[in-house]
């Protein structure tokens, strides 16, 4: 095992992020990242600091043929955790990456279907109100609701199917683990190759979501008739759904690499925070769903009540920030 892999392994064993290790050493996070990717090698003084921080010998860090005994590994692990840490093999890592790549389009398409579910209801409802194509309101509402519930039912089925595969390896996203020799290097190489596609996908998806509002804004300024504004709202939802679809696809795949490397949103400290927030997050979205369904059935304005979801998304970001701040304060 080379120095880069030993630094990565010891950092993860101690439950530190790259930034946390960098703070202890008085260097930048980028420096630690380069050490772990074998882009650069720490100088002797930093190697001495690393050995002291990790509680290992300098020889162990510098000599590739020296490995920690099971007793030493157990002592290091016990010092920071009362539970044994899982070992992830190359086979398990590849299975996890393949599963995520397979599920990414399923989850993205299911989300797409949820977003576009009210499109037909909006179109037919505005046409019925404007007496366009001589569509009667009961027929418009019936057809629109049938399409809405059909899309949601299909989306829920797809979410459940993808979730059944995810459950088998959910522990990688929630629990601490160690990777066997060679796994980190393989994942880093695949992440590096995928990164350009990821950034292009995020950029395209975000731009599409922003551009989606332009036709509706122009229609509003031009004082277009209500039925035409309804068409523009439907177009907005279709474009946003397409943008979100792309973002979800690339994010799930990139997230699978971060999961195995315990980086980004999957560092050990982040997992501990997510574990505490999991129940509260479930309550939040159940409440948002209850508000959406209650308001929609009470008012029968399915063409308008969809606004609950973007508002809930924005408020969720605020809620998450406050919750994380509170948890951080409690931890201190």
């Amino acid at each position: 095992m080379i120095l880069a892999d030993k630094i990565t392994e010891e950092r993860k064993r101690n439950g530190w992020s790259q930034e946390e290790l960098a703070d202890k050493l008085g260097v930048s996070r980028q420096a630690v990242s380069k050490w772990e990717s074998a882009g650069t090698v720490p100088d002797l003084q930093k190697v001495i600091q690393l050995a002291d921080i990790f509680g290992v010998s300098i020889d162990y860090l510098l000599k590739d043929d020296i490995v920690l005994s099971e007793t030493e590994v157990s002592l290091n692990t016990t010092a920071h955790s009362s539970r044994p840490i899982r070992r992830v093999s190359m086979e398990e890592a590849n299975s996890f990456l393949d599963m995520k790549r397979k599920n990414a389009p399923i989850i993205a398409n299911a989300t797409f279907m949820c977003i576009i579910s009210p499109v037909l209801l909006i179109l037919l409802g505005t046409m019925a109100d404007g007496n366009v194509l001589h569509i009667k309101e009961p027929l418009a509402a019936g057809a629109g609701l049938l399409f809405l519930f059909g899309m949601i039912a299909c989306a829920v089925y797809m979410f459940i199917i993808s979730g059944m595969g995810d459950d088998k390896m959910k522990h990688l996203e929630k629990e601490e683990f160690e990777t066997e020799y060679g796994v980190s290097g393989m994942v880093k190489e695949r992440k590096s190759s995928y990164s350009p596609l990821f950034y292009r996908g995020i950029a395209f998806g975000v731009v599409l979501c922003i551009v989606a509002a332009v036709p509706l804004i122009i229609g509003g300024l031009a004082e277009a008739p209500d039925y035409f504004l309804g068409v523009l709202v439907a177009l907005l939802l279709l474009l946003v759904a397409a943008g979100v679809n792309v973002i979800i696809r690339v994010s799930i795949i990139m997230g699978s690499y971060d999961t195995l490397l315990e980086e980004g949103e999957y560092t050990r400290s982040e997992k501990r925070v997510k574990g505490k927030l999991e129940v509260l997050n479930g309550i939040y979205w159940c409440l948002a769903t209850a508000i959406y369904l209650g308001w929609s059935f009470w008012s029968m304005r399915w063409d308008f009540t969809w606004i609950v979801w973007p508002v809930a998304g924005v408020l969720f970001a605020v809620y998450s920030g406050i919750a994380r701040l509170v948890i951080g304060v409690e931890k201190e």
Side-chain angles (χ1 to χ4, degrees):
M1 188 183 298
I2 63 174
L3 175 60
D5 289 336
K6 290 180 179 179
I7 294 175
T8 302
E9 185 174 278
E10 292 301 318
R11 173 178 62 78
K12 290 181 178 179
R13 182 173 291 133
N14 283 274
W16 300 326
S17 66
Q18 288 184 340
E19 187 171 358
E20 288 172 328
L21 178 57
D23 288 340
K24 296 177 184 295
L25 294 168
V27 298
S28 65
R29 187 199 65 78
Q30 289 76 12
V32 174
S33 177
K34 289 180 180 179
W35 295 345
E36 294 187 355
S37 63
T40 60
V41 177
D43 59 39
L44 183 58
Q45 185 60 38
K46 294 304 178 187
V47 171
I48 295 173
Q49 284 185 261
L50 285 167
D52 183 55
I53 290 173
F54 292 148
V56 298
S57 68
I58 297 174
D59 280 350
Y60 163 70
L61 290 178
L62 295 179
K63 295 182 179 180
D64 297 348
D65 58 340
I66 298 181
V67 296
L68 290 179
S69 67
E70 292 185 6
T71 302
E72 290 173 316
V73 171
S74 177
L75 287 173
N76 279 357
T77 301
T78 305
H80 299 280
S81 173
S82 59
R83 297 181 302 171
I85 295 182
R86 293 174 180 262
R87 300 286 294 180
V88 178
S89 65
M90 181 69 76
E91 181 181 1
E92 187 177 4
N94 278 315
S95 296
F96 176 75
L97 294 176
D98 291 341
M99 178 201 66
K100 285 295 185 179
R101 187 175 291 272
K102 179 182 177 182
N103 283 345
I106 297 176
I107 296 174
N109 290 338
T111 305
F112 177 89
M113 294 169 70
C114 287
I115 296 175
I116 69 167
S117 61
V119 163
L120 189 61
L121 186 63
I122 294 171
L123 284 174
L124 296 180
T126 53
M127 287 182 179
D129 289 341
N131 199 27
V132 178
L133 302 179
H134 305 290
I135 298 176
K136 296 182 179 180
E137 289 189 11
L139 177 62
L145 287 174
L146 185 64
F147 179 80
L148 184 147
F149 287 118
M151 287 288 100
I152 292 178
C154 291
V156 169
Y157 173 79
M158 294 166 70
F159 282 131
I160 293 174
I161 292 299
S162 64
M164 290 172 63
D166 275 353
D167 283 344
K168 299 177 182 178
M169 296 188 176
K170 208 68 176 178
H171 61 275
L172 295 178
E173 298 176 353
K174 295 182 176 181
E175 301 175 8
E176 300 176 6
F177 60 84
E178 296 289 347
T179 54
E180 293 184 355
Y181 178 69
V183 173
S184 293
M186 177 274 292
V187 177
K188 287 177 183 177
E189 184 177 347
R190 291 180 63 171
K191 179 180 179 180
S192 178
S193 299
Y194 188 74
S195 289
L197 179 60
F198 168 73
Y199 290 117
R200 287 198 298 269
I202 292 295
F204 178 77
V206 170
V207 169
L208 202 57
C209 289
I210 294 173
V211 171
V214 173
L216 184 60
I217 294 173
I218 294 175
L221 293 175
E223 298 183 351
D226 289 343
Y227 75 87
F228 189 69
L229 290 177
V231 173
L232 294 181
V233 169
L235 177 61
L236 180 147
L237 289 178
L238 286 170
L239 291 176
V240 168
V244 170
N245 186 299
V246 175
I247 291 172
I248 290 176
R249 284 172 184 258
V250 298
S251 296
I252 288 176
I253 295 174
M254 179 59 77
S256 67
Y257 300 132
D258 286 340
T259 299
L260 291 175
L261 295 173
E262 292 190 297
E263 295 177 351
E265 297 181 3
Y266 299 97
T267 61
R268 294 187 177 183
S269 58
E270 189 69 15
K271 287 178 182 178
R272 298 185 193 110
V273 172
K274 285 183 177 179
K276 296 178 180 179
L277 289 176
E278 190 171 5
V279 175
L280 293 177
N281 290 347
I283 294 173
Y284 178 92
W285 287 112
C286 284
L287 182 61
T289 303
I291 292 173
Y292 169 67
L293 292 175
W295 185 18
S296 298
F297 281 114
W298 177 70
S299 66
M300 293 307 294
R301 289 293 310 275
W302 297 86
D303 60 326
F304 178 76
T305 54
W306 61 269
I307 197 70
V308 166
W309 297 114
V311 171
V314 173
L315 292 179
F316 181 74
V318 176
Y319 145 78
S320 294
I322 295 174
R324 287 172 181 275
L325 182 62
V326 172
I327 289 175
V329 170
E330 289 179 352
K331 185 177 180 182
E332 292 175 5

